[in-house]
């Protein structure tokens, strides 16, 4: 018996040797919390919980597989991964479906959102390109990186999906920032976006997008219409108090006051049922994952690894900030899910796959072949 246990122990160590067990523990905790809140928000639907759990399993398998790849392999395959991920992004504009445009491709078995792939492939591509240049990047290098970031961002805006486009663009911008790009570039980019904002308002934004911005500025102007979502979300957050109403006891979601309570606004359900204690616990887990990514990036031995691990970690942080700001009324509603809590498949799988790349950086530290 002792021999068998020893064999199983050694097998487990070999199986998990490339995984960052501390980060994995935090992610598993977030997934368990997410499934528990989803069960409550989804009216005790075991079907939804099983479907989401299956997606987590696929994501964990992708994480494990990517963590076992060497950084040299990942770096060599990055241009191919980026090019292949652009194909469905073009296809969705023709054959896609969605409530306010073309965001998903119906594969009959499940809906696939191509834009989610770029959350991983775009920062990888920017890191691959910048790693081949002298750092900090020069003017021409910044322009090339801007094209790499801008092409998929514009395609996602055409769907239109402003929230995902913003997150994809930011993930690439983080790689530029970590490469040593001066702050004035980001200030200039912000100024350019501000300058074209009036043009976008009159010619690019759709009516529902304008409504979201106006509702953000003053949701009480239409409390039973466009302002309903954010008002009910604030009520749910405030009703949770310190310790919450208890699991399965949230009135805002169970009485159908809170819309999109299994997707974009699921964090409001958690706030109502588990209160400030639950919110702090989940945010602490998120911050631990982000901190772990940055710690891994700081210990990377080549430029590509450092840029990709840091960019993915900071992008994960932005996902949390945007959704948290959205449900609390601090940011406009842009349809950004809360990582590992919101119901949805492609986002969960792409996120876990990205963290698998970060784990590969920790497990495989090349001394040669990179800057």
């Amino acid at each position: 018996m002792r021999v068998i246990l020893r064999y199983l122990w050694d097998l487990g160590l070999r199986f998990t040797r490339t995984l960052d067990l501390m980060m994995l523990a935090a992610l598993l905790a977030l997934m368990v919390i997410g499934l528990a809140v989803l069960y409550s928000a989804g009216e005790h639907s075991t079907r939804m919980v099983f479907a989401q759990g299956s997606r987590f399993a696929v994501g964990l398998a992708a994480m494990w597989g990517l963590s076992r790849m060497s950084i040299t392999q990942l770096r060599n395959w990055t241009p191919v991964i980026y090019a292949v991920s652009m194909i469905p992004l073009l296809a969705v504009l023709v054959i896609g479906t969605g409530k306010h445009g073309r965001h998903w491709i119906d594969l009959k078995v499940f809906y696939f959102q191509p834009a989610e792939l770029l959350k991983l492939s775009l920062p990888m591509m920017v890191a691959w390109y910048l790693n081949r240049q002298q750092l900090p990047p020069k003017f021409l290098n910044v322009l090339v990186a801007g094209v790499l970031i801008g092409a998929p961002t514009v395609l996602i805006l055409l769907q239109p999906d402003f929230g995902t486009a913003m997150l994809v663009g930011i993930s690439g911008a983080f790689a530029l920032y970590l490469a040593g790009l001066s702050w004035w570039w980001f200030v200039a980019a912000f100024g350019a976006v501000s300058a074209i904002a009036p043009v976008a308002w009159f010619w690019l934004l759709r009516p529902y997008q304008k409504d979201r911005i106006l509702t953000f500025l003053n949701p009480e102007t239409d409390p039973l219409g466009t302002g309903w979502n954010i008002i009910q979300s604030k009520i749910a957050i405030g009703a949770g108090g310190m310790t919450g109403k208890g699991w399965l006891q949230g009135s805002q979601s169970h009485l159908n006051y809170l819309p999109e309570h299994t997707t974009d606004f699921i964090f409001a359900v958690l706030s109502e049922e588990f209160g400030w204690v639950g919110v702090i616990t989940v945010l602490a887990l998120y911050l631990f994952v982000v901190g772990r990514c940055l710690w891994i990036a700081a210990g990377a031995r080549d430029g590509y690894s450092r840029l990709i691990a840091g960019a993915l970690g900071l992008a994960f942080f932005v996902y949390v900030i945007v959704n948290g700001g959205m449900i609390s009324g601090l940011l406009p509603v842009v349809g950004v899910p809360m990582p590992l809590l919101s119901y949805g498949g492609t986002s969960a799988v792409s996120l876990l796959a990205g963290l698998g790349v970060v784990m590969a950086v920790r497990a495989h530290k090349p001394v040669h072949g990179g800057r």
Side-chain angles (χ1 to χ4, degrees), residues 55-90:
R55 293 157 180 166
F56 286 159
V58 173
L60 288 170
M63 172 191 288
W64 177 78
L66 287 168
S67 73
R68 298 181 69 83
M69 294 184 67
S70 72
I71 294 302
T72 301
Q73 288 177 304
L74 286 171
R75 186 170 57 237
N76 291 341
W77 278 95
T78 289
V80 176
I81 295 171
Y82 177 80
V84 170
S85 66
M86 292 288 286
I87 296 173
L89 197 60
L90 290 166

Side-chain angles (χ1 to χ4, degrees), residues 215-216 219-220 228-240 252 258 265 268 325-330:
T215 299
F216 161 68
E220 284 73 21
W228 177 265
N229 292 15
I230 189 60
I231 291 174
Q232 298 305 315
S233 179
K234 288 180 179 179
I235 292 174
I237 294 171
Q252 291 299 110
L258 184 64
F265 287 88
M326 186 180 76
I327 64 133
S328 59
L330 299 177

Side-chain angles (χ1 to χ4, degrees), residues 67-210:
S67 73
R68 298 181 69 83
M69 294 184 67
S70 72
I71 294 302
T72 301
Q73 288 177 304
L74 286 171
R75 186 170 57 237
N76 291 341
W77 278 95
T78 289
V80 176
I81 295 171
Y82 177 80
V84 170
S85 66
M86 292 288 286
I87 296 173
L89 197 60
L90 290 166
V92 76
L93 297 175
V94 180
I95 63 174
T97 183
K99 183 179 179 181
H100 295 293
R102 300 178 182 272
H103 305 156
W104 299 281
I105 295 177
D106 185 1
L107 299 179
K108 304 305 179 183
V109 179
F110 62 92
Y111 284 92
F112 169 62
Q113 188 175 5
E116 291 291 336
L117 297 178
L118 273 300
K119 291 181 180 179
L120 173 59
S121 65
L122 175 60
M124 288 179 66
M125 186 63 195
V126 176
W128 176 86
Y129 172 73
L130 293 176
N131 183 60
R132 301 165 66 89
Q133 314 303 323
Q134 182 180 352
L135 300 182
K138 299 184 181 301
F139 179 77
L140 182 59
N141 302 141
V142 175
L143 291 183
V144 173
V147 172
L148 294 174
I149 297 170
T153 302
V154 170
L155 289 175
I156 298 171
L157 284 172
L158 292 175
Q159 294 181 5
D161 187 347
F162 177 80
T164 304
M166 175 187 66
L167 296 180
V168 167
I170 287 175
S171 67
F174 276 135
L176 273 169
Y177 171 72
L178 294 171
L181 187 64
S182 174
W183 271 101
W184 74 264
W185 277 94
F186 298 98
V187 173
F190 178 78
V193 171
S194 300
I196 65 172
V199 177
W201 179 266
F202 289 106
W203 300 102
L204 298 179
L205 295 183
R206 298 193 175 189
Y208 78 91
Q209 293 172 320
K210 295 180 182 180

Side-chain angles (χ1 to χ4, degrees), residues 228-271:
W228 177 265
N229 292 15
I230 189 60
I231 291 174
Q232 298 305 315
S233 179
K234 288 180 179 179
I235 292 174
I237 294 171
M242 181 59 68
T243 58
K245 294 181 176 180
W247 186 46
L248 309 178
Q249 303 302 314
S251 58
Q252 291 299 110
S253 59
H254 292 296
L255 296 178
N256 292 322
Y257 286 109
L258 184 64
E260 307 294 340
H261 48 270
T262 61
T263 52
D264 294 348
F265 287 88
I266 196 170
F267 198 65
V269 178
L270 179 141
S271 301

